[in-house]
Amino acid sequence: MFSKQSDGSTVAEQYGKLGLSLKPANMERVNGWAEVLQRLGDPGGGVPPTLFIHARCGRLIETLPSLQHDPNRPEDVLKVDADEDGIGGDDTADALRYLVATKPRILRLERLRGL
């Protein structure tokens, strides 16, 4: 998205001309997972969550409990790729990590309409 093409432009610049502003994802895994964990809170310990996952996010809800620490880097989560049929993997959890790492810590509650 952000690499220069043969004409010197980037794909992100092309999207920008159409009114879609793109920015690179925060790829820092350890801090991203720490942020996810912190936003999930510890309700049993009196720390309320600031991240809520909708019941329709089934794949994410299925994936999060199966995440494991990386034995070579315990502060990180072990990367798991999907098989050749696209089954399994941790892509939904990674998408959550990218989202959390790029969004400010603002809690705003809104009633969803039309669902």
Side-chain angles (χ1 to χ4, degrees):
M1 294 299 288
F2 300 96
S3 299
K4 296 282 184 188
Q5 307 281 323
S6 60
D7 65 356
S9 70
T10 67
V11 173
E13 290 169 348
Q14 294 170 14
Y15 275 95
K17 290 176 183 174
L18 298 172
L20 298 170
S21 176
L22 302 176
K23 66 179 185 175
N26 181 338
M27 302 292 286
E28 173 40 50
R29 294 179 55 83
V30 173
N31 289 332
W33 289 122
E35 184 69 24
V36 169
L37 187 61
Q38 185 172 23
R39 289 188 188 201
L40 287 172
D42 180 11
V47 180
T50 59
L51 172 66
F52 301 92
I53 299 169
H54 195 278
R56 292 190 307 180
C57 299
R59 182 70 181 116
L60 178 60
I61 292 168
E62 178 185 302
T63 302
L64 285 175
S66 67
L67 297 175
Q68 300 176 22
H69 288 281
D70 185 333
N72 298 319
R73 193 174 180 198
E75 67 278 9
D76 196 1
V77 171
L78 182 65
K79 178 68 183 147
V80 178
D81 293 322
D83 65 18
E84 57 246 4
D85 295 323
I87 307 298
D90 61 0
D91 291 347
T92 56
D94 277 339
L96 174 65
R97 176 175 55 86
Y98 294 142
L99 173 71
V100 165
T102 58
K103 292 294 181 186
R105 294 173 153 242
I106 297 171
L107 181 62
R108 190 175 85 209
L109 298 177
E110 291 184 19
R111 180 173 296 272
L112 298 176
R113 295 182 213 137
L115 297 177

